[in-house]
Amino acid sequence: MDFPQDQIDELKKLFVHVSSCNESGYSYFLLPNLPLPELCNPEKVDVLLCPTPRDNYNSRLFFAEKIQSRKSLNWNVNGIRIIERNWYAFSLKTPSNLRLSAMIALHLKGLL
């Protein structure tokens, strides 16, 4: 799926090292070493945004490891293999038609 260039440019301004890839019919944006909200452990982690519907979710944000945060999360994806790495995701429903940067922000807010 193609995304509007202004949204991709916005991601590149916010996250300097963002890259994109496709695998098994899904598009992804890799954001290495993303700073997480306060009181999360670790403080930074690689994340992989799938901005299209997948697994009955409008978007998914996969983490390179499970994050410890202030609240208990439902980690319903445990070690799924994407782009030759294992990824984890917690259950979070997001609205459709969000900008790419808004998707990431909303998923990170789920850690609070």
Side-chain angles (χ1 to χ4, degrees), residues 8-17 31 34 101-102 104:
I8 295 170
D9 292 343
E10 181 179 41
L11 273 189
K12 290 179 179 179
K13 285 180 185 175
L14 294 170
F15 312 105
V16 178
H17 300 290
L31 294 88
L34 180 74
S101 59
I104 295 168

Side-chain angles (χ1 to χ4, degrees), residues 11 14-15 31-49 59-65 67-71 73 75 88-94 98-112:
L11 273 189
L14 294 170
F15 312 105
L31 294 88
N33 218 21
L34 180 74
L36 298 178
E38 188 176 337
L39 300 179
C40 287
N41 186 22
E43 295 177 358
K44 296 180 180 183
V45 69
D46 292 353
V47 299
L48 189 66
L49 174 67
S59 65
R60 296 303 309 251
L61 188 65
F62 297 98
F63 297 81
E65 59 186 281
I67 308 304
Q68 294 177 345
S69 66
R70 290 182 259 191
K71 67 180 188 179
L73 299 170
W75 291 93
Y88 305 85
F90 58 88
S91 179
L92 180 72
K93 295 285 186 174
T94 59
L98 292 174
R99 293 182 66 80
L100 295 171
S101 59
M103 287 178 203
I104 295 168
L106 192 55
H107 281 282
L108 292 178
K109 189 175 180 180
L111 293 168
L112 300 174

